[in-house]
Amino acid sequence: MIDKSVLRNSRFMFTLAFVIQASSLLTSFISGTTLQDSWISIILAGILSIPLILLYRSIMLMFPDKNFIQVLKLVFGRVLGTIIGILLVWFFVTLTALNISDLGDFAKLTVMYYTPKYILILMCVLISVYAVRKGLNVVTRYSAVFTFLQFAIIGVSIVFLFNQMDFSAFLPIFTFEPIKYVQSTHIVTTIPMGEMVLFLMLTPNIKIEKKKFTKAWFLGAFLGILALFLVTVRDIAVLGNTLHLFSLPGLICLRLVNLGEAFSRLEILFAIALIILLFFKITLLGYVIIIAFAELAGIKSYKNLTLIFAIFVVLYSLTLFPSSVNHADNAKSITAQLWSLFEIIIPLLVLIIAKIRKLPKHINLTKKQKSFALQESSKDELTQETKQHGNVQKGEV
Amino acid sequence: MITLVILGFSIIVLIDFIPLVKNRDKKAITWFVIMFVSTFTLCILIMNGVEIPSLMLLAEKLIKAIGLSY
C-alpha cells in the first residue's frame, strides 16, 4: 500500500456524497436536453446507479487489499492490465483537468473577472498539492463539513428564491422523444454517479465492516443524488423555460436572490462555497491520479511527483476546450459514451473475469496441512495463554 | 513571462528533484525527468500560442464517426 491512511465509515460516506455533489454546477449538461423534465432523468439515474454501486462494492469486497490498478493487473494479466491501467490514468487525468477547467471558468465568472483563468487554477492546484502530499486523511478530513455546507447552500437558496419559483414550469411532463430521456439519464449516470469509480483506487485504505460498508455506499450516493435533484428542481422552478439558455443555471439562480437591499448580490457566498466543493473534488482526484500512476510505475514514494503532475494537469486542462460552451456540448454528445468505458464496461469485465477465473485465489491446503496448521496455531495460543497466566500470577504475588 | 516560467520550474526542481536524487530512487527520478520535460515543453508551446490538439475533441470526432454520439 503506497499510502497507509485509513478511511472509516462516516468519512467514506461523506467523501462519496461530496464527489457527486460537486457536480451540481454541471446541471446544464442535462437541463439543455430534457429541460423541465430533467428531474425525471435524475431519479432514473439514481435508480440505475444501484447496480453500479453494487458492482463497485463487489469488486472492493472481492479484493479488499488491492487498488484498482493492482486488480486490473491480477485479472487481465500484467501486459493487458497495464495498458488498461494507463487508459484509466488518462481518464482520471482528463476528469481532473475538466473539473479544474470548470473551477477556473466559474471562479473567473463569479469572483475575479479580470484575473487570467490559469492563475486562479494554479492557486487552487498548489493548495491541492499540499493536501495530497499529506495523504488521504488530510484530503478527506473535511468531507462531512463540505457535504453539509452544500446542503446548507441549497436549503438557503431554495428559501430565498421561493418567492420567484413557479411550479407550473414543470409542466408539461413527458413531451420529449424517449431518446432524450435516455441521453440525459445516461449523462447523469456517468458524469456524477459513475465518477464513484475513483473509490476503487482507495480500496486498501477503506476499513469498514461489510454491513456498514454497504450502508455507507448507498447513503453516500443517496446524499449526492439528493443534492443534484434539489438543485435541478430549484433551477427549473426559478428559470422555467429559459433554463437551457445558460451554461451555469445554478449561478444564474443564485444571482436572482434578492430580498430587499440588504440581501442582494448574495451569489458571492454561494460561489465561494461551490468553489470549495470543486477544490475538494479536484484534491481527491489528484490523490487518485498520483496513487494510480505510482502503482503503474512501481514507485513507492509518490510525494515528490505530486507538484509536477499537478502542473501537467493544469496545462492539459487548458488544451481541452476553447470555452465552457464547447465543454457542455461535448458532455451532452459524447462524454457519457466515453466515460461508460471506464466507469461501467471495465469494472463489469473485471467482475465477470474474476468470477470466471475464481479470483482472488486462496492457498488450497490439503487435509494434512490444515490439521498441521491448526495444531501449530493451537500450540501458539496455548503458549501465549500460559505466558499471560504466568504474568498474572506474578502480578498477584 | 519566460523568466517567471523558468523560475517556477526551477523551484519545482529544488523542492522535489533534489530530495529524489538524495534518496537515489532511480524509478522516481526517471519518471520525474519524463514528466518534467513533458510539462515544460507543453508550457512553452502554450505560451507561444501553439495550438495543441484537444484529445476530447479528437474523441468527439471518433465517437461521432462511429455513430455513437447522441
Side-chain angles (χ1 to χ4, degrees):
Chain A
M1 197 157 79
I2 296 165
D3 178 23
K4 286 177 183 167
S5 310
V6 172
L7 211 60
R8 300 246 178 238
N9 190 19
S10 60
R11 196 177 285 186
F12 167 68
M13 185 185 82
F14 286 118
T15 309
L16 189 64
F18 89 73
V19 165
I20 301 167
Q21 281 181 344
S23 302
S24 59
L25 257 184
L26 308 172
T27 49
S28 66
F29 294 172
I30 50 162
S31 58
T33 314
T34 38
L35 301 175
Q36 77 275 13
D37 284 348
S38 301
W39 61 276
I40 299 170
S41 309
I42 291 181
I43 292 174
L44 288 173
I47 296 165
L48 282 176
S49 301
I50 296 170
L52 207 59
I53 292 168
L54 290 173
L55 172 67
Y56 298 153
R57 179 192 153 276
S58 305
I59 294 171
M60 287 170 102
L61 288 175
M62 206 180 260
F63 306 96
D65 53 348
K66 288 189 167 41
N67 64 42
F68 201 42
I69 301 287
Q70 289 170 323
V71 173
L72 287 174
K73 282 182 184 173
L74 190 72
V75 172
F76 292 106
R78 202 168 174 78
V79 179
L80 191 59
T82 308
I83 294 168
I84 299 172
I86 293 167
L87 287 173
L88 200 73
V89 170
W90 173 77
F91 164 68
F92 288 135
V93 168
T94 309
L95 198 60
T96 315
L98 290 171
N99 277 287
I100 284 176
S101 184
D102 289 333
L103 177 88
D105 288 333
F106 186 70
K108 190 174 160 61
L109 205 67
T110 55
V111 189
M112 296 178 183
Y113 192 76
Y114 295 103
T115 311
K117 183 179 155 183
Y118 62 90
I119 297 287
L120 295 170
I121 290 172
L122 209 61
M123 291 298 112
C124 157
V125 163
L126 288 178
I127 305 166
S128 293
V129 166
Y130 177 77
V132 171
R133 276 170 183 258
K134 295 284 175 190
L136 186 63
N137 265 335
V138 174
V139 172
T140 57
R141 187 167 292 163
Y142 300 104
S143 54
V145 177
F146 292 138
T147 305
F148 287 121
L149 183 72
Q150 170 72 344
F151 274 110
I153 294 169
I154 297 169
V156 170
S157 66
I158 287 174
V159 171
F160 282 180
L161 286 164
F162 203 76
N163 58 348
Q164 296 179 52
M165 286 184 184
D166 176 13
F167 290 98
S168 65
F170 289 94
L171 299 171
I173 299 174
F174 291 117
T175 48
F176 301 99
E177 292 168 29
I179 189 71
K180 290 281 177 193
Y181 295 100
V182 173
Q183 182 183 358
S184 58
T185 308
H186 190 192
I187 290 170
V188 184
T189 313
T190 49
I191 292 180
M193 299 307 285
E195 285 171 9
M196 294 184 290
V197 75
L198 69 93
F199 287 93
L200 292 180
M201 279 307 301
L202 309 177
T203 312
N205 304 89
I206 299 167
K207 306 280 179 218
I208 311 172
E209 282 172 42
K210 198 177 172 182
K211 270 187 180 176
K212 284 184 179 174
F213 183 55
T214 310
K215 199 177 160 188
W217 259 109
F218 280 102
L219 205 57
F222 173 74
L223 286 174
I225 202 116
L226 179 69
L228 274 184
F229 179 77
L230 290 173
V231 166
T232 310
V233 166
R234 181 199 67 195
D235 294 354
I236 296 168
V238 174
L239 297 174
N241 55 12
T242 60
L243 186 69
H244 65 289
L245 299 175
F246 309 105
S247 63
L248 292 169
L251 177 71
I252 305 298
C253 272
L254 298 172
R255 276 192 175 156
L256 292 173
V257 172
N258 193 2
L259 297 171
E261 281 183 20
F263 288 102
S264 59
R265 308 294 296 172
L266 282 179
E267 78 266 15
I268 187 71
L269 295 175
F270 302 125
I272 290 168
L274 284 171
I275 289 168
I276 292 171
L277 266 181
L278 264 180
F279 157 76
F280 203 37
K281 188 179 174 185
I282 289 164
T283 309
L284 185 68
L285 278 166
Y287 177 82
V288 167
I289 291 174
I290 205 76
I291 289 291
F293 180 78
E295 190 59 56
L296 272 177
I299 301 165
K300 283 174 188 167
S301 173
Y302 67 91
K303 289 177 184 172
N304 294 99
L305 288 169
T306 322
L307 187 56
I308 194 70
F309 246 98
I311 305 294
F312 176 79
V313 177
V314 168
L315 295 170
Y316 177 61
S317 77
L318 299 175
T319 68
L320 286 177
F321 297 111
S323 73
S324 59
V325 179
N326 291 78
H327 180 192
D329 273 346
N330 187 280
K332 277 180 213 165
S333 57
I334 64 118
T335 310
Q337 290 88 320
L338 193 60
W339 277 192
S340 295
L341 175 69
F342 302 100
E343 295 169 354
I344 303 168
I345 297 168
I346 292 176
L348 196 63
L349 279 176
V350 165
L351 190 73
I352 293 167
I353 294 171
K355 289 270 182 199
I356 293 168
R357 290 184 61 195
K358 291 178 183 168
L359 290 171
K361 277 178 186 159
H362 298 290
I363 303 158
N364 291 320
L365 298 173
T366 59
K367 275 186 181 176
K368 270 189 181 178
Q369 282 171 325
K370 271 183 186 174
S371 63
F372 178 73
L374 279 170
Q375 277 174 9
E376 286 297 305
S377 66
S378 60
K379 265 184 195 174
D380 288 343
E381 278 170 18
L382 199 69
T383 327
Q384 276 180 355
E385 273 177 23
T386 322
K387 274 182 185 174
Q388 279 175 357
H389 190 64
N391 288 338
V392 171
Q393 277 183 336
K394 274 178 194 173
E396 281 173 358
V397 171
Chain B
M1 189 67 181
I2 188 81
T3 323
L4 271 176
V5 169
I6 291 170
L7 188 72
F9 277 89
S10 312
I11 292 169
I12 295 174
V13 170
L14 280 173
I15 295 171
D16 284 338
F17 189 62
I18 292 171
L20 281 179
V21 175
K22 276 183 185 170
N23 291 337
R24 293 181 184 178
D25 189 347
K26 282 182 186 172
K27 270 187 186 173
I29 291 171
T30 314
W31 280 111
F32 183 92
V33 172
I34 293 169
M35 284 308 298
F36 187 87
V37 173
S38 320
T39 311
F40 189 69
T41 314
L42 192 61
C43 187
I44 297 296
L45 289 174
I46 290 173
M47 266 177 56
N48 288 311
V50 177
E51 204 172 303
I52 294 149
S54 158
L55 287 180
M56 286 304 283
L57 293 178
L58 284 176
E60 186 176 330
K61 276 183 190 170
L62 183 74
I63 290 172
K64 278 184 177 169
I66 299 168
L68 280 175
S69 70
Y70 284 115

